[in-house]
Amino acid sequence: MAVTILIPAPLRRFTGERASVEVEASTVAEALAKLDQLYPGIRERICEPDGRIRRFVSVFVNGKDVRSLQGVETPLQDGDEVGIIPAMAGGQWS
Amino acid sequence: MVLIPRAQYEAIIAHARREAPREACGLVAGHGERIERVYPVANRAELAVEFFAERGLIPPGRDYRPEAPGSIAVERFFMDPEEQFRVLREIEASGLEHLGSYHSHPATEAYPSRTDVELAAFWPGMLLMICSLADPARPVLRAFRVVDGQVQEEPVVVED
């Protein structure tokens, strides 16, 4: 399956500033592995060593957070869009 | 320097007032140093307990459940991820640049907290706008960038 991975601005230094990357993959995990083959080091910004998505990162398939789907095992169809964004968070005290 | 039209400046303050005592949050987009649009995003702090806890950002003994008396949920923001993603796509599709984010400090000054500085590391160099309602009659909007843990202020110029 040819899928498009959308790279968020803070991770574009890994991809030579490319905002999207096409890979062949049938699950989110496979897509992230292929991305890491192209741009070594990027996957550890997204996943824990055991493969789960890091808590401060969200991964989307066609705009749906994969936490509400099947996590990194979420299957991909031809033409799917995989989005990645780091959390935006903060707070007023300490 | 950050240039912001009066209407967008007022929109951030109005959003902060609407959400108080909870924190309001959103994204800002435009071109270069000029903000042209602001996008409110839902604050889902109550769904992000583990996120804050694993960074030591929940003081001991504080309750996180949003309805609990003295809940710390009113003192944190965590943007709804799907909405954040949708807005970022919308910004891109409209030909604007994503310049950064804003959030409110309903009861403290308009300056990045330790939590803000630490979490800004996920979006290095982006604008971090903070709206303080500590004096309800005189809201204050200031802008910062956090680079390598260092806070730099950007003067905010409101355009009439």
Side-chain angles (χ1 to χ4, degrees), chain A residues 6 10 55-56 58 60 64-65 81 85-94, chain B residues 23 51 54-55 75-77 79 81-82 84 89 105-107 113 115-116 123:
Chain A
L6 304 171
R55 222 189 277 289
F56 59 86
S58 293
F60 307 86
K64 283 295 285 181
D65 194 329
E81 260 181 3
I85 50 168
M88 279 203 190
Q92 65 181 340
W93 296 105
S94 64
Chain B
E23 296 192 15
F51 172 85
E54 76 181 10
R55 293 184 159 64
E75 298 170 16
R76 293 284 182 270
F77 78 91
M79 283 188 203
E82 284 187 0
Q84 183 193 341
R89 302 285 330 259
H105 283 181
S113 65
T115 302
D116 291 335
W123 293 89

PDB file of all heavy atoms in Angstrom, chain A residues 6 10 55-56 58 60 64-65 81 85-94, chain B residues 23 51 54-55 75-77 79 81-82 84 89 105-107 113 115-116 123:
ATOM      1  N   LEU A   6       2.795  12.433   6.847  1.00  0.00           N
ATOM      2  CA  LEU A   6       2.935  13.890   6.974  1.00  0.00           C
ATOM      3  C   LEU A   6       3.878  14.174   8.139  1.00  0.00           C
ATOM      4  O   LEU A   6       3.625  13.733   9.267  1.00  0.00           O
ATOM      5  CB  LEU A   6       1.567  14.525   7.226  1.00  0.00           C
ATOM      6  CG  LEU A   6       0.518  14.197   6.158  1.00  0.00           C
ATOM      7  CD1 LEU A   6      -0.865  14.674   6.591  1.00  0.00           C
ATOM      8  CD2 LEU A   6       0.904  14.831   4.826  1.00  0.00           C
ATOM      9  N   PRO A  10       8.593  20.102  13.671  1.00  0.00           N
ATOM     10  CA  PRO A  10       9.735  19.827  14.551  1.00  0.00           C
ATOM     11  C   PRO A  10      10.538  18.588  14.161  1.00  0.00           C
ATOM     12  O   PRO A  10      11.636  18.397  14.662  1.00  0.00           O
ATOM     13  CB  PRO A  10       9.080  19.609  15.935  1.00  0.00           C
ATOM     14  CG  PRO A  10       7.732  20.222  15.833  1.00  0.00           C
ATOM     15  CD  PRO A  10       7.322  20.098  14.402  1.00  0.00           C
ATOM     16  N   ARG A  55       4.018   8.997  24.668  1.00  0.00           N
ATOM     17  CA  ARG A  55       2.827   9.629  25.220  1.00  0.00           C
ATOM     18  C   ARG A  55       2.626  11.061  24.737  1.00  0.00           C
ATOM     19  O   ARG A  55       1.510  11.540  24.657  1.00  0.00           O
ATOM     20  CB  ARG A  55       2.908   9.616  26.743  1.00  0.00           C
ATOM     21  CG  ARG A  55       1.602   9.278  27.390  1.00  0.00           C
ATOM     22  CD  ARG A  55       1.665   9.498  28.869  1.00  0.00           C
ATOM     23  NE  ARG A  55       2.249   8.413  29.631  1.00  0.00           N
ATOM     24  CZ  ARG A  55       1.671   7.235  29.830  1.00  0.00           C
ATOM     25  NH1 ARG A  55       0.513   6.973  29.266  1.00  0.00           N
ATOM     26  NH2 ARG A  55       2.256   6.316  30.553  1.00  0.00           N
ATOM     27  N   PHE A  56       3.723  11.739  24.427  1.00  0.00           N
ATOM     28  CA  PHE A  56       3.574  13.141  24.016  1.00  0.00           C
ATOM     29  C   PHE A  56       3.462  13.292  22.503  1.00  0.00           C
ATOM     30  O   PHE A  56       3.546  14.391  21.968  1.00  0.00           O
ATOM     31  CB  PHE A  56       4.719  14.001  24.562  1.00  0.00           C
ATOM     32  CG  PHE A  56       6.087  13.551  24.124  1.00  0.00           C
ATOM     33  CD1 PHE A  56       6.628  13.974  22.926  1.00  0.00           C
ATOM     34  CD2 PHE A  56       6.832  12.703  24.923  1.00  0.00           C
ATOM     35  CE1 PHE A  56       7.890  13.564  22.518  1.00  0.00           C
ATOM     36  CE2 PHE A  56       8.090  12.290  24.529  1.00  0.00           C
ATOM     37  CZ  PHE A  56       8.618  12.709  23.327  1.00  0.00           C
ATOM     38  N   SER A  58       1.118  12.109  19.035  1.00  0.00           N
ATOM     39  CA  SER A  58      -0.080  11.465  18.514  1.00  0.00           C
ATOM     40  C   SER A  58       0.155  11.119  17.051  1.00  0.00           C
ATOM     41  O   SER A  58       0.779  11.891  16.318  1.00  0.00           O
ATOM     42  CB  SER A  58      -1.296  12.385  18.622  1.00  0.00           C
ATOM     43  OG  SER A  58      -1.612  12.599  19.983  1.00  0.00           O
ATOM     44  N   PHE A  60      -1.915   9.753  13.563  1.00  0.00           N
ATOM     45  CA  PHE A  60      -3.259   9.742  12.997  1.00  0.00           C
ATOM     46  C   PHE A  60      -3.278   8.963  11.707  1.00  0.00           C
ATOM     47  O   PHE A  60      -2.310   8.988  10.939  1.00  0.00           O
ATOM     48  CB  PHE A  60      -3.715  11.172  12.687  1.00  0.00           C
ATOM     49  CG  PHE A  60      -3.588  12.108  13.860  1.00  0.00           C
ATOM     50  CD1 PHE A  60      -2.388  12.774  14.111  1.00  0.00           C
ATOM     51  CD2 PHE A  60      -4.646  12.306  14.720  1.00  0.00           C
ATOM     52  CE1 PHE A  60      -2.266  13.617  15.203  1.00  0.00           C
ATOM     53  CE2 PHE A  60      -4.531  13.151  15.813  1.00  0.00           C
ATOM     54  CZ  PHE A  60      -3.333  13.801  16.054  1.00  0.00           C
ATOM     55  N   LYS A  64      -7.720  10.370  12.243  1.00  0.00           N
ATOM     56  CA  LYS A  64      -8.174   9.695  13.475  1.00  0.00           C
ATOM     57  C   LYS A  64      -6.949   9.282  14.282  1.00  0.00           C
ATOM     58  O   LYS A  64      -6.038   8.632  13.764  1.00  0.00           O
ATOM     59  CB  LYS A  64      -8.968   8.419  13.150  1.00  0.00           C
ATOM     60  CG  LYS A  64     -10.375   8.646  12.680  1.00  0.00           C
ATOM     61  CD  LYS A  64     -11.268   9.260  13.739  1.00  0.00           C
ATOM     62  CE  LYS A  64     -11.698   8.281  14.828  1.00  0.00           C
ATOM     63  NZ  LYS A  64     -12.599   8.976  15.808  1.00  0.00           N
ATOM     64  N   ASP A  65      -6.964   9.640  15.557  1.00  0.00           N
ATOM     65  CA  ASP A  65      -5.876   9.257  16.455  1.00  0.00           C
ATOM     66  C   ASP A  65      -5.826   7.726  16.541  1.00  0.00           C
ATOM     67  O   ASP A  65      -6.848   7.090  16.850  1.00  0.00           O
ATOM     68  CB  ASP A  65      -6.156   9.858  17.845  1.00  0.00           C
ATOM     69  CG  ASP A  65      -4.938   9.802  18.762  1.00  0.00           C
ATOM     70  OD1 ASP A  65      -4.120   8.876  18.632  1.00  0.00           O
ATOM     71  OD2 ASP A  65      -4.833  10.689  19.611  1.00  0.00           O
ATOM     72  N   GLU A  81      -3.380   8.562   4.706  1.00  0.00           N
ATOM     73  CA  GLU A  81      -2.473   9.597   5.184  1.00  0.00           C
ATOM     74  C   GLU A  81      -2.165   9.347   6.649  1.00  0.00           C
ATOM     75  O   GLU A  81      -3.071   9.250   7.470  1.00  0.00           O
ATOM     76  CB  GLU A  81      -3.155  10.961   5.093  1.00  0.00           C
ATOM     77  CG  GLU A  81      -2.734  11.757   3.900  1.00  0.00           C
ATOM     78  CD  GLU A  81      -3.433  13.108   3.902  1.00  0.00           C
ATOM     79  OE1 GLU A  81      -4.189  13.426   4.841  1.00  0.00           O
ATOM     80  OE2 GLU A  81      -3.204  13.820   2.942  1.00  0.00           O
ATOM     81  N   ILE A  85       1.964  14.309  15.235  1.00  0.00           N
ATOM     82  CA  ILE A  85       2.234  15.607  15.876  1.00  0.00           C
ATOM     83  C   ILE A  85       2.643  15.424  17.334  1.00  0.00           C
ATOM     84  O   ILE A  85       2.086  14.596  18.052  1.00  0.00           O
ATOM     85  CB  ILE A  85       1.052  16.605  15.837  1.00  0.00           C
ATOM     86  CG1 ILE A  85      -0.235  15.962  16.308  1.00  0.00           C
ATOM     87  CG2 ILE A  85       0.894  17.248  14.482  1.00  0.00           C
ATOM     88  CD1 ILE A  85      -1.327  16.980  16.566  1.00  0.00           C
ATOM     89  N   PRO A  86       3.623  16.217  17.764  1.00  0.00           N
ATOM     90  CA  PRO A  86       3.933  16.268  19.190  1.00  0.00           C
ATOM     91  C   PRO A  86       2.841  17.036  19.924  1.00  0.00           C
ATOM     92  O   PRO A  86       2.170  17.891  19.334  1.00  0.00           O
ATOM     93  CB  PRO A  86       5.255  17.036  19.262  1.00  0.00           C
ATOM     94  CG  PRO A  86       5.751  17.156  17.859  1.00  0.00           C
ATOM     95  CD  PRO A  86       4.545  17.058  16.983  1.00  0.00           C
ATOM     96  N   ALA A  87       2.691  16.741  21.207  1.00  0.00           N
ATOM     97  CA  ALA A  87       1.699  17.426  22.026  1.00  0.00           C
ATOM     98  C   ALA A  87       2.001  18.912  22.124  1.00  0.00           C
ATOM     99  O   ALA A  87       3.147  19.342  22.038  1.00  0.00           O
ATOM    100  CB  ALA A  87       1.704  16.829  23.433  1.00  0.00           C
ATOM    101  N   MET A  88       0.937  19.684  22.308  1.00  0.00           N
ATOM    102  CA  MET A  88       1.097  21.071  22.734  1.00  0.00           C
ATOM    103  C   MET A  88       0.422  21.169  24.087  1.00  0.00           C
ATOM    104  O   MET A  88      -0.784  20.943  24.204  1.00  0.00           O
ATOM    105  CB  MET A  88       0.444  22.020  21.758  1.00  0.00           C
ATOM    106  CG  MET A  88       1.324  22.268  20.562  1.00  0.00           C
ATOM    107  SD  MET A  88       0.897  23.814  19.789  1.00  0.00           S
ATOM    108  CE  MET A  88       1.879  23.650  18.304  1.00  0.00           C
ATOM    109  N   ALA A  89       1.227  21.482  25.090  1.00  0.00           N
ATOM    110  CA  ALA A  89       0.726  21.447  26.456  1.00  0.00           C
ATOM    111  C   ALA A  89       1.515  22.418  27.319  1.00  0.00           C
ATOM    112  O   ALA A  89       2.576  22.877  26.937  1.00  0.00           O
ATOM    113  CB  ALA A  89       0.843  20.027  27.009  1.00  0.00           C
ATOM    114  N   GLY A  90       0.959  22.716  28.483  1.00  0.00           N
ATOM    115  CA  GLY A  90       1.634  23.611  29.411  1.00  0.00           C
ATOM    116  C   GLY A  90       0.738  23.842  30.608  1.00  0.00           C
ATOM    117  O   GLY A  90      -0.202  23.091  30.841  1.00  0.00           O
ATOM    118  N   GLY A  91       1.044  24.895  31.346  1.00  0.00           N
ATOM    119  CA  GLY A  91       0.205  25.164  32.501  1.00  0.00           C
ATOM    120  C   GLY A  91       0.733  26.319  33.317  1.00  0.00           C
ATOM    121  O   GLY A  91       1.912  26.600  33.296  1.00  0.00           O
ATOM    122  N   GLN A  92      -0.192  26.953  34.046  1.00  0.00           N
ATOM    123  CA  GLN A  92       0.200  28.231  34.631  1.00  0.00           C
ATOM    124  C   GLN A  92       1.059  28.133  35.881  1.00  0.00           C
ATOM    125  O   GLN A  92       1.796  29.057  36.184  1.00  0.00           O
ATOM    126  CB  GLN A  92      -1.029  29.095  34.896  1.00  0.00           C
ATOM    127  CG  GLN A  92      -1.982  28.535  35.937  1.00  0.00           C
ATOM    128  CD  GLN A  92      -3.193  29.448  36.118  1.00  0.00           C
ATOM    129  OE1 GLN A  92      -3.158  30.611  35.780  1.00  0.00           O
ATOM    130  NE2 GLN A  92      -4.267  28.892  36.658  1.00  0.00           N
ATOM    131  N   TRP A  93       0.947  27.030  36.656  1.00  0.00           N
ATOM    132  CA  TRP A  93       1.766  26.954  37.875  1.00  0.00           C
ATOM    133  C   TRP A  93       2.944  26.040  37.651  1.00  0.00           C
ATOM    134  O   TRP A  93       2.794  24.971  37.095  1.00  0.00           O
ATOM    135  CB  TRP A  93       0.963  26.428  39.049  1.00  0.00           C
ATOM    136  CG  TRP A  93      -0.155  27.325  39.449  1.00  0.00           C
ATOM    137  CD1 TRP A  93      -1.479  27.107  39.196  1.00  0.00           C
ATOM    138  CD2 TRP A  93      -0.082  28.573  40.134  1.00  0.00           C
ATOM    139  NE1 TRP A  93      -2.222  28.141  39.686  1.00  0.00           N
ATOM    140  CE2 TRP A  93      -1.392  29.060  40.273  1.00  0.00           C
ATOM    141  CE3 TRP A  93       0.966  29.338  40.637  1.00  0.00           C
ATOM    142  CZ2 TRP A  93      -1.686  30.270  40.896  1.00  0.00           C
ATOM    143  CZ3 TRP A  93       0.682  30.531  41.267  1.00  0.00           C
ATOM    144  CH2 TRP A  93      -0.633  30.987  41.392  1.00  0.00           C
ATOM    145  N   SER A  94       4.075  26.407  38.170  1.00  0.00           N
ATOM    146  CA  SER A  94       5.360  25.710  38.117  1.00  0.00           C
ATOM    147  C   SER A  94       5.545  24.842  36.906  1.00  0.00           C
ATOM    148  O   SER A  94       4.815  23.994  36.554  1.00  0.00           O
ATOM    149  CB  SER A  94       5.615  24.904  39.365  1.00  0.00           C
ATOM    150  OG  SER A  94       4.687  23.874  39.512  1.00  0.00           O
TER     151      SER A  94
ATOM    152  N   GLU B  23      -7.730  26.907  31.655  1.00  0.00           N
ATOM    153  CA  GLU B  23      -6.876  27.556  30.678  1.00  0.00           C
ATOM    154  C   GLU B  23      -7.452  27.375  29.277  1.00  0.00           C
ATOM    155  O   GLU B  23      -7.949  26.302  28.936  1.00  0.00           O
ATOM    156  CB  GLU B  23      -5.466  26.966  30.729  1.00  0.00           C
ATOM    157  CG  GLU B  23      -4.797  27.230  32.063  1.00  0.00           C
ATOM    158  CD  GLU B  23      -3.310  26.920  32.059  1.00  0.00           C
ATOM    159  OE1 GLU B  23      -2.709  26.763  30.977  1.00  0.00           O
ATOM    160  OE2 GLU B  23      -2.749  26.851  33.160  1.00  0.00           O
ATOM    161  N   PHE B  51       0.512  11.946  31.128  1.00  0.00           N
ATOM    162  CA  PHE B  51       1.473  12.777  30.404  1.00  0.00           C
ATOM    163  C   PHE B  51       2.173  13.736  31.358  1.00  0.00           C
ATOM    164  O   PHE B  51       3.397  13.865  31.360  1.00  0.00           O
ATOM    165  CB  PHE B  51       0.727  13.556  29.310  1.00  0.00           C
ATOM    166  CG  PHE B  51       1.557  14.579  28.607  1.00  0.00           C
ATOM    167  CD1 PHE B  51       2.346  14.216  27.532  1.00  0.00           C
ATOM    168  CD2 PHE B  51       1.553  15.896  29.019  1.00  0.00           C
ATOM    169  CE1 PHE B  51       3.120  15.164  26.881  1.00  0.00           C
ATOM    170  CE2 PHE B  51       2.317  16.853  28.374  1.00  0.00           C
ATOM    171  CZ  PHE B  51       3.109  16.486  27.304  1.00  0.00           C
ATOM    172  N   GLU B  54       4.201  11.732  34.401  1.00  0.00           N
ATOM    173  CA  GLU B  54       5.499  11.102  34.140  1.00  0.00           C
ATOM    174  C   GLU B  54       6.604  12.145  33.970  1.00  0.00           C
ATOM    175  O   GLU B  54       7.771  11.826  33.985  1.00  0.00           O
ATOM    176  CB  GLU B  54       5.421  10.145  32.934  1.00  0.00           C
ATOM    177  CG  GLU B  54       5.378  10.811  31.591  1.00  0.00           C
ATOM    178  CD  GLU B  54       5.269   9.796  30.446  1.00  0.00           C
ATOM    179  OE1 GLU B  54       5.039   8.604  30.717  1.00  0.00           O
ATOM    180  OE2 GLU B  54       5.420  10.221  29.297  1.00  0.00           O
ATOM    181  N   ARG B  55       6.241  13.399  33.837  1.00  0.00           N
ATOM    182  CA  ARG B  55       7.240  14.464  33.794  1.00  0.00           C
ATOM    183  C   ARG B  55       7.379  15.170  35.127  1.00  0.00           C
ATOM    184  O   ARG B  55       8.022  16.204  35.216  1.00  0.00           O
ATOM    185  CB  ARG B  55       6.855  15.500  32.741  1.00  0.00           C
ATOM    186  CG  ARG B  55       6.925  14.929  31.410  1.00  0.00           C
ATOM    187  CD  ARG B  55       6.660  15.861  30.296  1.00  0.00           C
ATOM    188  NE  ARG B  55       7.260  15.233  29.147  1.00  0.00           N
ATOM    189  CZ  ARG B  55       6.839  14.083  28.657  1.00  0.00           C
ATOM    190  NH1 ARG B  55       5.794  13.486  29.174  1.00  0.00           N
ATOM    191  NH2 ARG B  55       7.460  13.530  27.653  1.00  0.00           N
ATOM    192  N   GLU B  75      -5.198  24.128  35.902  1.00  0.00           N
ATOM    193  CA  GLU B  75      -3.901  24.796  35.842  1.00  0.00           C
ATOM    194  C   GLU B  75      -2.989  24.195  34.776  1.00  0.00           C
ATOM    195  O   GLU B  75      -1.768  24.362  34.816  1.00  0.00           O
ATOM    196  CB  GLU B  75      -3.213  24.719  37.209  1.00  0.00           C
ATOM    197  CG  GLU B  75      -4.009  25.425  38.286  1.00  0.00           C
ATOM    198  CD  GLU B  75      -3.466  25.153  39.669  1.00  0.00           C
ATOM    199  OE1 GLU B  75      -2.323  24.677  39.772  1.00  0.00           O
ATOM    200  OE2 GLU B  75      -4.195  25.408  40.640  1.00  0.00           O
ATOM    201  N   ARG B  76      -3.594  23.460  33.858  1.00  0.00           N
ATOM    202  CA  ARG B  76      -2.818  22.849  32.789  1.00  0.00           C
ATOM    203  C   ARG B  76      -3.615  22.957  31.502  1.00  0.00           C
ATOM    204  O   ARG B  76      -4.835  23.057  31.515  1.00  0.00           O
ATOM    205  CB  ARG B  76      -2.586  21.347  33.078  1.00  0.00           C
ATOM    206  CG  ARG B  76      -1.705  21.056  34.272  1.00  0.00           C
ATOM    207  CD  ARG B  76      -0.241  21.308  33.952  1.00  0.00           C
ATOM    208  NE  ARG B  76       0.627  20.983  35.079  1.00  0.00           N
ATOM    209  CZ  ARG B  76       0.972  21.836  36.028  1.00  0.00           C
ATOM    210  NH1 ARG B  76       0.490  23.067  35.999  1.00  0.00           N
ATOM    211  NH2 ARG B  76       1.783  21.481  36.994  1.00  0.00           N
ATOM    212  N   PHE B  77      -2.901  22.897  30.375  1.00  0.00           N
ATOM    213  CA  PHE B  77      -3.625  22.684  29.130  1.00  0.00           C
ATOM    214  C   PHE B  77      -2.928  21.588  28.339  1.00  0.00           C
ATOM    215  O   PHE B  77      -1.714  21.372  28.474  1.00  0.00           O
ATOM    216  CB  PHE B  77      -3.757  23.963  28.298  1.00  0.00           C
ATOM    217  CG  PHE B  77      -2.507  24.351  27.544  1.00  0.00           C
ATOM    218  CD1 PHE B  77      -2.292  23.910  26.256  1.00  0.00           C
ATOM    219  CD2 PHE B  77      -1.546  25.159  28.134  1.00  0.00           C
ATOM    220  CE1 PHE B  77      -1.143  24.264  25.546  1.00  0.00           C
ATOM    221  CE2 PHE B  77      -0.393  25.521  27.449  1.00  0.00           C
ATOM    222  CZ  PHE B  77      -0.188  25.077  26.160  1.00  0.00           C
ATOM    223  N   MET B  79      -3.652  20.326  24.343  1.00  0.00           N
ATOM    224  CA  MET B  79      -4.551  20.491  23.193  1.00  0.00           C
ATOM    225  C   MET B  79      -5.101  19.158  22.724  1.00  0.00           C
ATOM    226  O   MET B  79      -4.369  18.169  22.646  1.00  0.00           O
ATOM    227  CB  MET B  79      -3.804  21.139  22.023  1.00  0.00           C
ATOM    228  CG  MET B  79      -3.622  22.617  22.199  1.00  0.00           C
ATOM    229  SD  MET B  79      -2.960  23.344  20.688  1.00  0.00           S
ATOM    230  CE  MET B  79      -2.234  24.817  21.420  1.00  0.00           C
ATOM    231  N   PRO B  81      -5.606  16.375  20.575  1.00  0.00           N
ATOM    232  CA  PRO B  81      -4.698  16.048  19.468  1.00  0.00           C
ATOM    233  C   PRO B  81      -5.364  16.041  18.088  1.00  0.00           C
ATOM    234  O   PRO B  81      -4.793  16.554  17.129  1.00  0.00           O
ATOM    235  CB  PRO B  81      -4.158  14.662  19.829  1.00  0.00           C
ATOM    236  CG  PRO B  81      -4.291  14.583  21.317  1.00  0.00           C
ATOM    237  CD  PRO B  81      -5.554  15.348  21.633  1.00  0.00           C
ATOM    238  N   GLU B  82      -6.570  15.464  17.990  1.00  0.00           N
ATOM    239  CA  GLU B  82      -7.200  15.409  16.657  1.00  0.00           C
ATOM    240  C   GLU B  82      -7.529  16.803  16.151  1.00  0.00           C
ATOM    241  O   GLU B  82      -7.383  17.109  14.967  1.00  0.00           O
ATOM    242  CB  GLU B  82      -8.469  14.533  16.689  1.00  0.00           C
ATOM    243  CG  GLU B  82      -8.133  13.059  16.711  1.00  0.00           C
ATOM    244  CD  GLU B  82      -9.355  12.149  16.582  1.00  0.00           C
ATOM    245  OE1 GLU B  82     -10.494  12.650  16.476  1.00  0.00           O
ATOM    246  OE2 GLU B  82      -9.147  10.935  16.600  1.00  0.00           O
ATOM    247  N   GLN B  84      -6.007  19.598  17.072  1.00  0.00           N
ATOM    248  CA  GLN B  84      -4.725  20.253  16.784  1.00  0.00           C
ATOM    249  C   GLN B  84      -4.245  19.849  15.386  1.00  0.00           C
ATOM    250  O   GLN B  84      -3.829  20.691  14.584  1.00  0.00           O
ATOM    251  CB  GLN B  84      -3.716  19.810  17.849  1.00  0.00           C
ATOM    252  CG  GLN B  84      -2.338  20.445  17.739  1.00  0.00           C
ATOM    253  CD  GLN B  84      -1.324  19.721  18.618  1.00  0.00           C
ATOM    254  OE1 GLN B  84      -1.666  18.995  19.542  1.00  0.00           O
ATOM    255  NE2 GLN B  84      -0.070  19.919  18.321  1.00  0.00           N
ATOM    256  N   ARG B  89      -3.544  21.146   9.574  1.00  0.00           N
ATOM    257  CA  ARG B  89      -3.799  20.869   8.151  1.00  0.00           C
ATOM    258  C   ARG B  89      -4.509  22.049   7.496  1.00  0.00           C
ATOM    259  O   ARG B  89      -4.232  22.404   6.362  1.00  0.00           O
ATOM    260  CB  ARG B  89      -4.664  19.612   7.967  1.00  0.00           C
ATOM    261  CG  ARG B  89      -4.145  18.336   8.527  1.00  0.00           C
ATOM    262  CD  ARG B  89      -3.015  17.664   7.767  1.00  0.00           C
ATOM    263  NE  ARG B  89      -2.931  17.833   6.339  1.00  0.00           N
ATOM    264  CZ  ARG B  89      -3.311  16.957   5.426  1.00  0.00           C
ATOM    265  NH1 ARG B  89      -3.861  15.839   5.775  1.00  0.00           N
ATOM    266  NH2 ARG B  89      -3.110  17.186   4.150  1.00  0.00           N
ATOM    267  N   HIS B 105      -3.120  32.111  31.212  1.00  0.00           N
ATOM    268  CA  HIS B 105      -2.799  31.914  32.621  1.00  0.00           C
ATOM    269  C   HIS B 105      -3.874  32.677  33.389  1.00  0.00           C
ATOM    270  O   HIS B 105      -3.726  33.866  33.628  1.00  0.00           O
ATOM    271  CB  HIS B 105      -1.408  32.477  32.945  1.00  0.00           C
ATOM    272  CG  HIS B 105      -0.276  31.615  32.485  1.00  0.00           C
ATOM    273  ND1 HIS B 105       1.054  31.931  32.696  1.00  0.00           N
ATOM    274  CD2 HIS B 105      -0.266  30.425  31.831  1.00  0.00           C
ATOM    275  CE1 HIS B 105       1.825  30.973  32.190  1.00  0.00           C
ATOM    276  NE2 HIS B 105       1.048  30.053  31.655  1.00  0.00           N
ATOM    277  N   PRO B 106      -4.971  31.996  33.731  1.00  0.00           N
ATOM    278  CA  PRO B 106      -6.094  32.715  34.338  1.00  0.00           C
ATOM    279  C   PRO B 106      -5.721  33.446  35.630  1.00  0.00           C
ATOM    280  O   PRO B 106      -6.330  34.452  35.951  1.00  0.00           O
ATOM    281  CB  PRO B 106      -7.128  31.618  34.605  1.00  0.00           C
ATOM    282  CG  PRO B 106      -6.783  30.554  33.611  1.00  0.00           C
ATOM    283  CD  PRO B 106      -5.300  30.591  33.473  1.00  0.00           C
ATOM    284  N   ALA B 107      -4.726  32.930  36.369  1.00  0.00           N
ATOM    285  CA  ALA B 107      -4.447  33.531  37.679  1.00  0.00           C
ATOM    286  C   ALA B 107      -2.989  33.932  37.880  1.00  0.00           C
ATOM    287  O   ALA B 107      -2.622  34.402  38.956  1.00  0.00           O
ATOM    288  CB  ALA B 107      -4.861  32.561  38.783  1.00  0.00           C
ATOM    289  N   SER B 113       5.770  29.300  32.507  1.00  0.00           N
ATOM    290  CA  SER B 113       6.044  28.555  33.724  1.00  0.00           C
ATOM    291  C   SER B 113       7.111  27.494  33.419  1.00  0.00           C
ATOM    292  O   SER B 113       7.459  27.267  32.262  1.00  0.00           O
ATOM    293  CB  SER B 113       4.763  27.856  34.190  1.00  0.00           C
ATOM    294  OG  SER B 113       4.384  26.889  33.221  1.00  0.00           O
ATOM    295  N   THR B 115       6.605  24.399  33.561  1.00  0.00           N
ATOM    296  CA  THR B 115       5.892  23.435  32.717  1.00  0.00           C
ATOM    297  C   THR B 115       5.883  23.908  31.258  1.00  0.00           C
ATOM    298  O   THR B 115       6.145  23.134  30.336  1.00  0.00           O
ATOM    299  CB  THR B 115       4.445  23.280  33.232  1.00  0.00           C
ATOM    300  OG1 THR B 115       4.489  22.850  34.591  1.00  0.00           O
ATOM    301  CG2 THR B 115       3.669  22.263  32.421  1.00  0.00           C
ATOM    302  N   ASP B 116       5.594  25.182  31.063  1.00  0.00           N
ATOM    303  CA  ASP B 116       5.560  25.720  29.689  1.00  0.00           C
ATOM    304  C   ASP B 116       6.910  25.569  28.996  1.00  0.00           C
ATOM    305  O   ASP B 116       6.997  25.184  27.831  1.00  0.00           O
ATOM    306  CB  ASP B 116       5.194  27.211  29.710  1.00  0.00           C
ATOM    307  CG  ASP B 116       3.752  27.458  30.120  1.00  0.00           C
ATOM    308  OD1 ASP B 116       2.922  26.554  29.926  1.00  0.00           O
ATOM    309  OD2 ASP B 116       3.482  28.554  30.634  1.00  0.00           O
ATOM    310  N   TRP B 123       8.235  21.844  20.398  1.00  0.00           N
ATOM    311  CA  TRP B 123       8.021  22.743  19.255  1.00  0.00           C
ATOM    312  C   TRP B 123       9.055  23.866  19.325  1.00  0.00           C
ATOM    313  O   TRP B 123       8.707  25.034  19.518  1.00  0.00           O
ATOM    314  CB  TRP B 123       6.595  23.318  19.291  1.00  0.00           C
ATOM    315  CG  TRP B 123       5.548  22.279  19.070  1.00  0.00           C
ATOM    316  CD1 TRP B 123       4.924  21.511  20.010  1.00  0.00           C
ATOM    317  CD2 TRP B 123       5.002  21.865  17.804  1.00  0.00           C
ATOM    318  NE1 TRP B 123       4.037  20.663  19.407  1.00  0.00           N
ATOM    319  CE2 TRP B 123       4.059  20.849  18.062  1.00  0.00           C
ATOM    320  CE3 TRP B 123       5.236  22.263  16.479  1.00  0.00           C
ATOM    321  CZ2 TRP B 123       3.342  20.219  17.042  1.00  0.00           C
ATOM    322  CZ3 TRP B 123       4.510  21.630  15.468  1.00  0.00           C
ATOM    323  CH2 TRP B 123       3.589  20.631  15.755  1.00  0.00           C
TER     324      TRP B 123
END
